Amino acid sequence: MHASNAIRKRRVDVGTWLRVLICSLVALVVLVPLVSTAINGLKTHGQLMADPFGLPSPAHWSNYQSVLTNSRFWQQLKNSTIVTLATVGLTLLVGSMAAFVLARYEFAGRKFTFNLFILGMLFPTSVAMLPLYILIRQVGLIDSHWGVILPQVAFGLPVSILILRDYFRGIPVELEEAAVIDGCSPFTFFWRILLPLSRPALAAVAVLSMVGSWNAFLLPLLVLNDRDTWTLPLGVMQFQGQYTSDWALVMAFVTVSMLPAVIFFLLAERHLIAGLTAGSVKG
Amino acid sequence: MSLTGTARSGPTARASGRSSTSRNRSLTIALFLLPALILYLLFVLWPVVQAARYSVYRWNGLGPLEDPVGMANYLRALADPVFRKALSNNLLIAGLSLLIQLPFALALALMVGRSLPGKTFFRTVFFLPYVLADVATAVMWRSIYNPQFGLINYLAKMFGLRPQAWLSDPDKAMYAIFAVITWKYFGYHLVLYMAGLQNIPKELEEAALIDGCSTWQRIRYVTLPLLGSTIRLSVFLSVLGSIQFFDLIWIMTGGGPSHATETMVTYLYKFGFQRYALGYGSAVAVILFVLSLFFSLAYQRFVMARDLEASGLARN
């Protein structure tokens, strides 16, 4: 009995280490492209051609230097930040206001309004793209960041309203009644009590709209023609088109452009994963 | 307080039906709802309706709509071999995702399980590609597939294989792209599965073990059935995503070589924005929309119905 337990235990351990080994191999496949891209940014074009996989000797920091002193890069970083912050802020504000009313007020047409929003989850962004472009052109928002921000907010509303409404519904009515007795207006209750209590749901919505906006490509590609308004993904695309003869420099640019997302992910991993998978109710 | 009662929902609010109160109530509702409603109607619903309208005209995007062509745009798209190629590529991505990417993610999630040493590390690494921009990912992989200095050919040569021009070979480009799609998205499905596994009571799996189930039997008869709703959801998201692929492919191949990696959205982009055939492009958009709508409704109706009820999504 004792012996068979020991055998069983050892077999479990072998299984565990086998699983760790397989997962480590997969982790390697995930990481090697990223790490080798970062390292290749440290080579000269000649070094890259001669030895694409090895460490550069000597390391050649001028690629990174020239990316980090490139004013276009900083402009694009700033533009991406502006567009993302505005998209997240507006999505949170507008989405939570609508979700508040849809969660906690009885009125004619409430169900219809909610279903109308939810219907939006069935529309792929690409379906609306051509008419959206015409509309943005008509209202004069070509080359304006608002031409990216407003449609992004609008397309983010369905899933945001769904997540927030569900969460708001879970907050006890008694709390609201007490607040009203204490003289709270609906707006004060919403702003001072409901929103602070709903941080997890707000974080999920924020993360979803942030990652979507930061990485967005098709809509900015259509709306932003003027170089000075470009966001980072447009910058990356343009940069690799312009420097096809110097891949090492392109690798440095790609690496630097990925850094903000990677750093943010490592710092706020738990929130990011929770938020991005909360979005999976989409559909 | 004139606003007393306005914030209440339910019967209390209706009982205090003085007219000023109810006017305030309506005002509150309108003020809170209108910004979202206006944005949504203007930038989501209206364009979708417009797409349907444009699709029955020949139109270059300038000037008035004055050349109605009926269903001609639709017929032309459905008869165009390039569009069919694009559609079949979308289906290929969906099929390969269901056959390879999702089972791979599921197997890994089962391996990581509840308590593999390094579990958090693995989750972080596997999920990382998902947060990267498609554009940056695509440029990175173009260099990895590069015939002169790419990592893949370097490894191939190391193992004595012949180097290939992965992205410029019409027979290989689509599979090369699918490998990148898997690299970038398997972690998302893996995290969904891990969350699902977390919700399975530990006792059930332990009971199976005590009853003498082998690991495989436990997975087959206890874990997988209990993971059913998660798997059905991830299949749903995967197929819908597959129908709409654009960014990665556009940067890696632009739909080439000779349309080998065209998808419906790259096709739509080429006609709508590069050739200014907005009517025709809109017809393509509507076809794409109908396909994804049909899939969504059928899948939710026949496959996910129980899950939706369980999660309360179908409450309304």
Side-chain angles (χ1 to χ4, degrees):
Chain A
M1 195 62 208
H2 190 79
S4 85
N5 263 350
I7 287 166
R8 186 173 191 120
K9 193 158 194 308
R10 215 180 52 218
R11 276 185 48 197
V12 168
D13 280 347
V14 170
T16 304
W17 289 115
L18 191 66
R19 287 187 291 158
V20 170
L21 184 72
I22 294 173
C23 288
S24 305
L25 285 177
V26 177
L28 211 61
V29 173
V30 169
L31 290 177
V32 163
L34 293 168
V35 174
S36 87
T37 300
I39 291 175
N40 284 342
L42 288 171
K43 295 174 181 170
T44 61
H45 188 64
Q47 283 174 322
L48 180 63
M49 291 297 155
D51 181 13
F53 201 40
L55 291 172
S57 63
H60 180 73
W61 290 97
S62 72
N63 289 333
Y64 282 99
Q65 260 166 24
S66 82
V67 171
L68 290 173
T69 52
N70 183 340
S71 62
R72 289 243 173 265
F73 166 75
W74 293 104
Q75 176 77 50
Q76 288 154 10
L77 188 69
K78 192 177 125 201
N79 291 338
S80 271
T81 309
I82 292 171
V83 169
T84 299
L85 286 181
T87 302
V88 172
L90 267 179
T91 305
L92 285 176
L93 181 69
V94 175
S96 62
M97 281 164 62
F100 169 59
V101 169
L102 291 170
R104 305 182 77 96
Y105 281 73
E106 289 287 348
F107 60 94
R110 173 170 97 148
K111 211 162 140 182
F112 173 79
T113 316
F114 178 70
N115 286 335
L116 193 69
F117 277 119
I118 296 310
L119 186 68
M121 294 202 288
L122 296 175
F123 301 147
T125 325
S126 40
V127 171
M129 218 34 98
L130 289 166
L132 194 57
Y133 171 74
I134 302 289
L135 175 71
I136 290 168
R137 201 177 63 186
Q138 277 167 353
V139 295
L141 288 179
I142 295 291
D143 284 339
S144 155
H145 287 146
W146 289 110
V148 177
I149 296 164
L150 294 177
Q152 278 181 355
V153 173
F155 273 91
L157 281 175
V159 73
S160 309
I161 287 176
L162 183 65
I163 293 174
L164 291 168
R165 190 196 72 137
D166 272 5
Y167 200 89
F168 291 167
R169 279 185 153 191
I171 288 173
V173 185
E174 290 76 22
L175 207 67
E176 193 163 350
E177 285 168 353
V180 169
I181 290 167
D182 288 346
C184 258
S185 72
F187 187 77
T188 323
F189 170 77
F190 169 74
W191 191 251
R192 287 275 165 81
I193 300 173
L194 189 74
L195 289 188
L197 282 175
S198 308
R199 279 203 201 102
L202 293 170
V205 169
V207 158
L208 260 180
S209 92
M210 183 167 56
V211 174
S213 170
W214 186 263
N215 294 338
F217 175 58
L218 182 52
L219 186 63
L221 178 67
L222 298 177
V223 175
L224 307 175
N225 301 321
D226 176 3
R227 252 170 183 271
D228 293 338
T229 63
W230 281 357
T231 54
L232 261 181
L234 294 183
V236 171
M237 180 191 71
Q238 197 274 339
F239 198 87
Q240 71 114 26
Q242 187 177 351
Y243 295 95
T244 35
S245 57
D246 192 352
W247 270 97
L249 183 62
V250 174
M251 290 301 95
F253 194 95
V254 167
T255 305
V256 174
S257 84
M258 283 177 169
L259 272 184
V262 172
I263 292 170
F264 188 79
F265 171 61
L266 294 178
L267 289 178
E269 188 201 339
R270 227 161 37 89
H271 294 288
L272 257 153
I273 290 185
L276 289 171
T277 47
S280 67
V281 296
K282 182 170 170 126
Chain B
M1 277 307 294
S2 64
L3 286 175
T4 304
T6 53
R8 296 189 193 185
S9 52
T12 354
R14 257 178 271 136
S16 62
R18 284 176 310 157
S19 68
S20 78
T21 312
S22 86
R23 207 169 43 240
N24 276 326
R25 240 177 73 84
S26 308
L27 196 67
T28 308
I29 292 171
L31 282 178
F32 274 75
L33 208 49
L34 274 181
L37 212 52
I38 291 172
L39 276 175
Y40 177 71
L41 291 178
L42 190 63
F43 290 110
V44 180
L45 275 191
W46 176 241
V48 171
V49 173
Q50 287 290 82
R53 200 171 131 236
Y54 295 164
S55 74
V56 292
Y57 287 87
R58 191 205 317 273
W59 190 42
N60 65 2
L62 303 164
L65 282 171
E66 51 189 9
D67 189 2
V69 293
M71 301 304 279
N73 286 332
Y74 290 93
L75 297 175
R76 195 180 132 206
L78 294 172
D80 181 1
V82 178
F83 177 76
R84 291 191 188 177
K85 178 70 184 167
L87 178 59
S88 79
N89 279 337
N90 284 114
L91 297 178
L92 181 71
I93 297 173
L96 289 175
S97 297
L98 299 189
L99 286 175
I100 296 173
Q101 185 191 345
L102 266 51
F104 173 69
L106 181 59
L108 272 184
L110 289 170
M111 275 187 218
V112 176
R114 292 177 197 280
S115 57
L116 194 73
K119 177 183 163 185
T120 3
F121 168 77
F122 287 130
R123 194 184 60 171
T124 306
V125 171
F126 296 161
F127 195 77
L128 177 64
Y130 183 77
V131 302
L132 303 174
D134 277 7
V135 176
T137 307
V139 174
M140 184 180 89
W141 277 92
R142 279 189 62 172
S143 86
I144 292 169
Y145 280 130
N146 188 292
Q148 287 166 299
F149 61 88
L151 199 57
I152 299 284
N153 280 336
Y154 183 84
L155 292 174
K157 274 186 268 181
M158 222 163 69
F159 290 104
L161 300 169
R162 218 155 38 87
Q164 309 276 347
W166 300 96
L167 291 175
S168 42
D169 180 338
D171 294 328
K172 298 197 181 68
M174 205 59 227
Y175 297 97
I177 286 176
F178 177 72
V180 181
I181 292 174
T182 303
W183 181 86
K184 191 166 192 304
Y185 291 97
F186 85 94
Y188 183 79
H189 296 282
L190 175 119
V191 164
L192 283 184
Y193 298 141
M194 280 177 75
L197 284 173
Q198 215 74 49
N199 292 332
I200 296 175
K202 210 175 179 172
E203 293 75 21
L204 278 176
E205 293 181 335
E206 283 170 359
L209 207 67
I210 290 167
D211 287 348
C213 281
S214 68
T215 308
W216 171 243
Q217 283 172 325
R218 175 174 56 83
I219 290 172
R220 172 71 186 79
Y221 296 106
V222 180
T223 314
L224 286 185
L226 288 170
L227 213 53
S229 66
T230 311
I231 294 172
R232 286 189 286 271
L233 177 68
S234 91
V235 167
F236 179 70
L237 295 172
S238 181
V239 171
L240 275 192
S242 303
I243 297 179
Q244 298 169 38
F245 255 102
F246 177 75
D247 301 8
L248 269 179
I249 294 179
W250 188 248
I251 300 289
M252 279 200 288
T253 63
S258 57
H259 303 297
T261 60
E262 210 76 67
T263 64
M264 284 190 283
V265 183
T266 61
Y267 184 84
L268 189 161
Y269 184 86
K270 282 179 182 171
F271 279 94
F273 294 106
Q274 294 187 328
R275 299 192 198 171
Y276 301 105
L278 270 90
Y280 184 63
S282 296
V284 173
V286 172
I287 295 173
L288 171 70
F289 173 55
V290 169
L291 282 175
S292 69
L293 186 72
F294 179 78
F295 169 75
S296 296
L297 295 179
Y299 194 83
Q300 294 195 352
R301 176 87 175 75
F302 296 110
V303 183
M304 282 170 62
R306 274 174 308 150
D307 304 334
L308 290 176
E309 268 161 36
S311 74
L313 275 181
R315 257 196 314 244
N316 273 279

